[in-house]
């Protein structure tokens, strides 16, 4: 294995890396479970409404009325993933939360295997798993009955399939089977959360850049998966069920892009280092400058109104809104948002510049490009929706960042990244799990 290129036995040593990843996620999950008040916390946030849907499926059976014609923003695949084991474990909120913990821990399996394909050492895999556990909102939502734990597991499986296919020799079985598995996963995940569009889109773009016209199997798989989502779109009359379409419909709102540039900073800020320190520095600096200009323009022309509501709920919610909201519409608040938006644009551009190392092999290069592309596409998607924009909605778009940080940041900056995320985790734990 050299620079991420795998020529034989692509998963050689994989068990060790999987054990490391799973063990770290298990420790984090147990510490949060024991150290917080979640065990005695009543159903809260989105849990009561979602729990009732699972309970109905378990008690009334798997009819279309119970399993499809419910009212919620999540797709049926999410509820089915919980309803199936709930037939045995029960559909009480405590049991459903434990299933979330299981999904959070199981994400260590694809994460460890991707690390092997990227040629990471065991210590690097441990670091990547730790950073994954510390991703904003990740471990906290992994303690609750929420959609993120199962979705992120699926998103990592999607990247694993792509990396495995890229690691194979041309003409190998993995090159033929990869797009098929990819299409099947995208079809399922499209019935879970629409956020998978960013992950799948990044993968097909990276495949196209690498293979040109020979990337048609990836595009075909993606298109077929998208077509399979149409029946549910027609039945619901939109992306989500009828009662929630005002909160999650399509529509142009550039203020969301401004808000999310700021919300992304905990994940993108340190990537500015790579824009000026690595090879091709001048081109990267220019790209960062363009990103900063875009962020500045958005901050000046599309300033988010943190008091705006839709469907009786605030449009913008999360750490950014909580921090800047008390400033109201003062000059200080506007100046802060404009400055942070410009910084956020520069950092997002630095994320796009991060994958371009000449010494990266096939797999590493593919994983890095997918990680950056997912963040860019995910951020862009929110300019086309009029629905609510919460900081935690970014989590699916940065799920691959632990690998990006591990492969691009020097270890001192990875320590700084982890320390910052740990502080955020403590604050989120106090507000969400107590």
């Amino acid at each position: 294995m050299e620079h991420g290129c795998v020529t034989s036995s692509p998963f050689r040593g994989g068990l060790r890396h999987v054990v490391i990843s799973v063990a770290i996620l298990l420790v984090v999950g147990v510490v949060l479970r024991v150290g917080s008040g979640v065990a005695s916390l009543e159903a809260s946030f989105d849990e009561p409404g979602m729990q009732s849907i699972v309970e109905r499926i378990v008690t009334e059976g798997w009819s279309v009325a119970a399993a499809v014609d419910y009212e919620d923003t999540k797709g049926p695949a999410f509820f089915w993933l919980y309803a199936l084991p709930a037939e045995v474990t029960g559909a009480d909120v405590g049991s459903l939360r434990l299933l979330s913990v299981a999904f959070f821990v199981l994400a260590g399996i694809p994460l460890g295997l991707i690390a092997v394909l990227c040629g990471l050492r065991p210590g690097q895999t441990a670091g990547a798993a730790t950073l994954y556990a510390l991703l904003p909102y990740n471990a906290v939502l992994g303690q609750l009955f929420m959609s993120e734990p199962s979705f992120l597991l699926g998103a990592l499986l999607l990247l694993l399939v792509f990396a495995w296919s890229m690691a194979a020799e041309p003409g190998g079985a993995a090159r033929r089977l990869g797009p098929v598995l990819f299409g099947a996963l995208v079809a399922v995940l499209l019935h879970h959360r629409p956020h998978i569009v960013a992950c799948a889109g990044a993968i097909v773009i990276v495949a196209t850049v690498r293979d040109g016209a020979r990337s048609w199997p990836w595009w075909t798989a993606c298109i077929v998966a998208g077509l399979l989502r149409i029946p549910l779109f027609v039945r619901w009359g939109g992306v989500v069920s009828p009662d929630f379409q005002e909160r999650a419909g399509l529509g142009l709102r550039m203020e969301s892009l401004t808000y999310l540039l700021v919300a992304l900073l905990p994940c993108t800020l340190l990537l500015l280092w790579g824009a000026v320190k690595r090879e091709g520095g001048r081109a990267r600096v220019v790209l960062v400058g363009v990103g900063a200009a875009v962020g500045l323009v958005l901050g000046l022309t599309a300033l988010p109104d943190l008091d705006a509501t839709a469907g009786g709920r605030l449009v913008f919610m999360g750490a950014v809104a909580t921090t800047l909201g008390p400033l109201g519409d003062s000059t200080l608040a506007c100046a802060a948002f404009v400055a942070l938006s410009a910084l956020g644009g520069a950092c997002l551009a630095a994320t796009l510049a991060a994958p371009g190392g000449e010494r990266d092999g096939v797999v590493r290069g593919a994983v890095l490009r997918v990680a950056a592309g997912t963040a860019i596409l995910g951020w862009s998607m929110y300019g086309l929706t009029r629905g609510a924009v919460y900081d935690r909605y970014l989590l699916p778009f940065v799920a691959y960042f632990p690998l990006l940080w591990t492969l691009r940041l020097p270890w001192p900056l990875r320590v700084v990244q982890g320390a910052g995320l740990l502080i955020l985790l403590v604050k989120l734990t106090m507000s969400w799990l107590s």
Side-chain angles (χ1 to χ4, degrees), residues 94-377:
S95 298
L96 296 176
R97 285 173 176 171
L98 286 176
L99 289 173
S100 288
V101 175
F103 287 129
F104 172 76
V105 174
L106 287 173
I109 297 175
L111 183 61
L113 293 176
I114 295 169
V116 172
L117 293 173
C118 287
L120 298 188
R121 298 184 297 274
Q124 292 176 308
T125 298
T130 302
L131 290 170
Y132 174 81
L134 295 175
L135 281 172
Y137 295 92
N138 191 17
V140 170
L141 297 178
Q143 294 291 322
L144 300 171
F145 173 42
M146 303 291 272
S147 62
E148 283 81 2
S150 55
F151 181 85
L152 264 61
L153 172 60
L156 285 170
L157 287 171
L158 196 69
L159 181 60
L160 173 62
V161 166
F162 183 61
W164 170 63
S165 182
M166 290 294 101
E169 294 289 343
R175 289 293 180 96
R176 298 189 298 271
L177 186 58
V180 176
L181 295 175
F182 167 79
L185 280 170
V186 172
V188 172
L189 291 169
L190 277 174
H191 288 79
H192 191 301
R193 288 179 64 162
H195 296 73
I196 200 61
V197 171
C199 306
I203 286 174
V204 295
I205 290 172
V206 171
T208 301
V209 171
R210 171 178 161 75
D211 296 328
R214 291 178 298 170
S215 65
W216 67 266
W218 299 98
W219 284 98
T220 302
C222 204
I223 292 170
V224 171
L227 292 175
L228 292 175
R229 184 61 169 74
I230 291 178
L232 185 61
F233 183 93
V234 172
R235 187 175 187 87
W236 280 354
V239 177
V240 297
S241 57
D243 286 357
F244 287 83
Q245 287 177 17
E246 284 299 317
R247 289 173 49 191
L250 298 177
L252 186 65
R253 191 170 65 200
M254 304 305 289
E255 294 91 339
S256 299
L257 299 182
T258 307
Y259 183 88
L260 293 178
L261 280 179
V262 180
L264 275 166
L265 278 172
C267 294
T268 60
L269 181 60
L270 293 183
L271 290 171
L272 271 177
W273 175 90
V276 295
K277 291 296 184 181
R278 294 175 53 243
E279 63 271 13
R282 179 175 296 181
R284 297 175 192 282
V285 170
V286 171
L287 181 59
V288 168
V290 172
V294 171
L296 179 62
V297 171
L298 284 172
L300 292 172
T301 62
L303 202 63
D305 178 7
L306 299 184
D307 294 323
T309 60
R313 293 191 176 189
L314 288 170
V315 172
F316 301 102
M317 290 184 65
V320 174
T322 301
T323 303
L324 297 179
L327 299 177
D329 57 356
S330 64
T331 302
L332 177 60
C334 295
F337 237 119
V338 170
L340 290 172
S341 179
L343 178 61
C347 293
L348 191 59
T351 302
L352 184 62
E358 295 179 357
R359 291 177 294 178
D360 294 321
V362 173
V363 178
R364 283 191 181 183
V367 168
L368 287 167
R369 290 178 176 86
V370 169
T374 298
I376 298 292
L377 291 177

